[in-house]
């Protein structure tokens, strides 16, 4: 394809991706009441558990509408992700070699469900994070949470844990690229477990040990699963290298 044809193809893919996001955002605006109610629930539980006044506040005239737009856009990006991911893949795929396509398909097929599972785990620990962080306020005070800041906190927490679940896939990708060996991954298992434990301890209150383990166990399991896949790949690469050396020696 010529440069002009590539640009036309890119414009077509971007238009379809943008259209999917717009339609998804419209659907997101329709369900924004449900999403907002789910977000406010931890604040209501906070007020009951800590016996203090806690509420979500809108500090200016347009902040309520702005929050609905933010929620709508976020939901739109999530529910339209199969469409815009496919458009991105369809644009990039013709330029990949056969083995590169196989690796890319495997990466996307593993990363997307793991990211969604991580986001679900982030939503699971959200009430604990709200309780933990607001618990540092002195007794008798009122928790007045700004709507925009609270939404940003929720979004960053959910995305952070979602990305944490995808990190083992990047370890496998680095191994396949020859940057990282399975031996190096396994050698760092103590550091990995310590990092996961600290992360889950921060994400859940100290008193809620069960939630900490429910979050830590799958993350540690994913780390060792990545090490196992890397080990199998290293063995296969070693066999291929040995066969090539044998053929060259003959």
């Amino acid at each position: 394809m010529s440069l002009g044809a590539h640009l036309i193809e890119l414009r077509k893919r971007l238009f379809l991706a943008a259209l999917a996001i717009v339609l998804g955002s419209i659907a997101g605006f329709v369900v924004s009441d449900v999403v907002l109610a789910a977000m406010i629930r931890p604040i209501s539980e906070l007020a009951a558990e800590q016996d203090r006044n806690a509420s979500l506040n809108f500090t200016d005239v347009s902040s309520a509408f702005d929050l609905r737009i933010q929620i709508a856009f976020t939901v739109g990006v999530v529910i339209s992700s199969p469409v815009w991911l496919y458009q991105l893949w369809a644009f990039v795929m013709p330029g990949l070699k056969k083995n590169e396509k196989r690796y890319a398909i495997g990466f996307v097929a593993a990363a997307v469900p793991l990211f969604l599972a991580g986001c679900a785990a982030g939503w699971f620990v959200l009430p604990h994070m709200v309780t933990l962080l607001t618990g540092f306020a002195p007794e008798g005070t009122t928790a007045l949470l700004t709507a925009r800041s609270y939404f940003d906190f929720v979004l960053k927490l959910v995305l952070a844990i979602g990305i944490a679940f995808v990190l083992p896939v990047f370890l496998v990708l680095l191994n396949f690229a020859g940057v990282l060996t399975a031996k190096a991954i396994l050698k760092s298992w103590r550091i990995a477990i310590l990092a996961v434990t600290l992360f889950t301890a921060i994400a859940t209150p100290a008193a809620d040990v069960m939630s900490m383990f429910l979050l830590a166990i799958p993350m540690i399991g994913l780390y060792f699963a990545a090490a196992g896949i890397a080990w199998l790949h290293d063995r296969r690469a070693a066999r291929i290298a040995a066969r090539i050396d044998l053929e060259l020696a003959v």
Side-chain angles (χ1 to χ4, degrees):
M1 294 175 66
S2 64
L3 178 60
H6 275 296
L7 292 176
I8 293 173
E9 177 72 8
L10 178 61
R11 183 180 64 183
K12 173 188 173 183
R13 299 295 179 187
L14 289 176
F15 173 77
L16 293 174
L19 180 61
I21 292 175
V22 169
L23 294 176
S25 298
I26 294 173
F29 191 84
V30 173
V31 301
S32 60
D33 282 333
V34 178
V35 177
L36 187 57
M39 288 174 54
I40 295 176
R41 190 176 300 117
I43 301 176
S44 303
E45 294 174 355
L46 163 68
E49 291 177 7
Q50 298 184 3
D51 192 23
R52 71 166 71 198
N53 293 325
S55 62
L56 192 66
N57 292 272
F58 299 92
T59 56
D60 52 64
V61 175
S62 63
S63 59
F65 178 76
D66 292 342
L67 180 60
R68 294 295 179 94
I69 295 297
Q70 282 184 288
I71 293 174
F73 180 74
T74 303
V75 173
V77 171
V78 172
I79 65 176
S80 65
S81 57
V83 177
W84 56 261
L85 283 173
Y86 170 77
Q87 297 302 325
L88 176 63
W89 170 251
F91 179 74
V92 175
M93 186 176 63
L96 297 178
K97 297 178 182 179
K98 185 176 180 180
N99 63 325
E100 292 174 335
K101 291 179 183 179
R102 184 170 66 250
Y103 292 155
I105 290 174
F107 175 77
V108 173
V112 172
L114 284 176
F115 177 73
L116 294 177
C119 290
W123 188 262
F124 170 74
V125 301
L126 171 64
H128 306 298
M129 284 294 292
V130 173
T131 302
L132 175 66
L133 295 177
T134 55
F136 288 102
E139 293 184 6
T141 58
T142 301
L144 301 176
L145 306 178
T146 305
R148 184 174 299 175
S149 299
Y150 179 68
F151 178 76
D152 289 341
F153 167 76
V154 173
L155 183 61
K156 289 174 182 176
L157 174 66
V158 171
L159 288 180
I161 299 181
I163 293 171
F165 271 58
V166 179
L167 287 179
V169 181
F170 282 100
L171 292 179
V172 174
L173 191 63
L174 291 173
N175 174 259
F176 277 43
V179 178
L180 198 63
T181 64
K183 185 178 179 181
I185 297 174
L186 288 172
K187 189 177 180 180
S188 304
W189 69 271
R190 293 180 181 87
I191 298 175
I193 292 178
L194 178 61
V196 169
T197 304
L198 290 174
F199 178 79
T200 54
I202 293 172
T204 55
D208 195 355
V209 180
M210 183 58 66
S211 297
M212 174 181 168
F213 277 108
L214 289 176
L215 187 58
I217 289 173
M219 294 180 68
I220 294 172
L222 288 171
Y223 178 84
F224 282 106
I229 295 172
W231 180 73
L232 293 174
H233 177 260
D234 286 351
R235 285 192 61 187
R236 179 174 176 272
R239 286 197 302 267
I240 294 174
R243 187 172 68 247
I244 292 174
D245 291 340
L246 183 62
E247 291 174 353
L248 291 175
V250 174

